[in-house]
C-alpha cells in the first residue's frame, strides 16, 4: 500500500465519521421537530376551548357592566330627586312649622305662668358662704351686684 492509498483510506474514514455525526444530529433534530409539532398540536387543542371560554366570560362581564351602569344612573337620578324633594319640603314646611312651634311655646309659657288659683312660686335661692342670693340677681365678673 502506498502513501496515497493510506491517505485516501484515512480521508474516507474521517468522511464516514463526519457523515455519521451529521446523520445522528439530523435524526435528533427530526425527533425534536416531531415533539415540537405534537406539543403545538396539543396546545392548539387546549387553547381553542380556553379562548372560547374567555371570550364568553368577557361578553358576560360586559353585560354585567352595562347593567351596573344602568343601576348607577338610576341611583343617581333617585338621589337627585330625593335631594330636590327634601329641599322643597324644607322650604315649604320648614319656616311655617318653626313659626307655629314658637307660637305654641309662647302660648304655653304665657298660659302656664298665669294661673289665678296657683300662687306664684318663690324664686330659687343659692347660699353663698352664709348669704342667700336669688338666681335672678345679676352679678358682674368681679362679684359685685348690678
Amino acid at each position: 500500500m502506498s502513501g496515497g492509498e493510506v491517505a485516501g483510506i484515512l480521508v474516507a474514514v474521517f468522511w464516514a465519521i463526519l457523515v455519521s455525526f451529521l446523520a445522528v444530529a439530523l435524526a435528533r433534530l427530526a425527533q425534536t421537530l416531531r415533539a415540537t409539532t405534537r406539543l403545538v398540536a396539543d396546545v392548539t387543542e387546549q387553547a381553542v376551548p380556553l379562548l372560547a371560554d374567555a371570550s364568553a366570560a368577557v361578553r358576560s362581564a360586559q353585560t354585567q357592566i352595562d347593567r351596573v351602569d344602568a343601576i348607577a344612573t338610576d341611583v343617581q337620578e333617585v338621589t337627585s330627586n330625593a335631594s330636590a324633594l327634601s329641599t322643597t319640603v324644607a322650604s315649604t314646611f320648614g319656616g311655617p312649622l318653626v313659626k307655629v312651634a314658637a307660637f305654641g311655646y309662647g302660648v304655653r309659657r304665657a298660659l302656664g305662668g298665669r294661673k289665678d288659683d296657683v300662687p306664684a312660686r318663690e324664686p330659687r335661692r343659692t347660699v353663698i358662704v352664709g348669704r342667700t342670693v336669688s338666681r335672678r340677681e345679676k352679678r358682674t365678673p368681679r362679684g359685685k351686684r348690678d
Side-chain angles (χ1 to χ4, degrees):
M1 226 194 255
S2 70
E5 290 175 353
V6 173
I9 291 176
L10 285 177
V11 169
V13 170
F14 284 125
W15 186 257
I17 293 173
L18 179 65
V19 168
S20 302
F21 283 132
L22 288 177
V24 169
L26 286 175
R28 289 194 180 178
L29 181 63
Q31 220 176 15
T32 304
L33 287 175
R34 276 193 298 274
T36 304
T37 304
R38 270 186 268 132
L39 180 66
V40 168
D42 292 342
V43 167
T44 302
E45 283 179 21
Q46 293 175 2
V48 170
L50 287 176
L51 289 175
D53 290 345
S55 177
V58 167
R59 273 190 241 105
S60 174
Q62 182 62 37
T63 303
Q64 296 299 326
I65 287 173
D66 290 342
R67 287 181 184 168
V68 168
D69 188 35
I71 290 170
T73 302
D74 292 343
V75 167
Q76 185 178 11
E77 184 177 337
V78 167
T79 302
S80 65
N81 290 342
S83 176
L85 179 64
S86 172
T87 303
T88 302
V89 167
S91 65
T92 302
F93 297 115
L97 283 178
V98 169
K99 290 177 184 176
V100 167
F103 178 74
Y105 176 75
V107 168
R108 271 187 284 134
R109 180 126 177 159
L111 292 178
R114 300 284 183 175
K115 292 185 179 178
D116 294 333
D117 58 345
V118 178
R121 289 187 306 172
E122 284 191 33
R124 290 187 176 180
R125 300 186 184 272
T126 305
V127 176
I128 299 177
V129 190
R131 188 175 129 199
T132 304
V133 179
S134 77
R135 289 188 180 237
R136 292 183 183 169
E137 192 175 315
K138 293 185 179 177
R139 294 191 145 302
T140 60
R142 292 185 183 153
K144 296 180 182 177
R145 292 185 208 160
D146 284 340

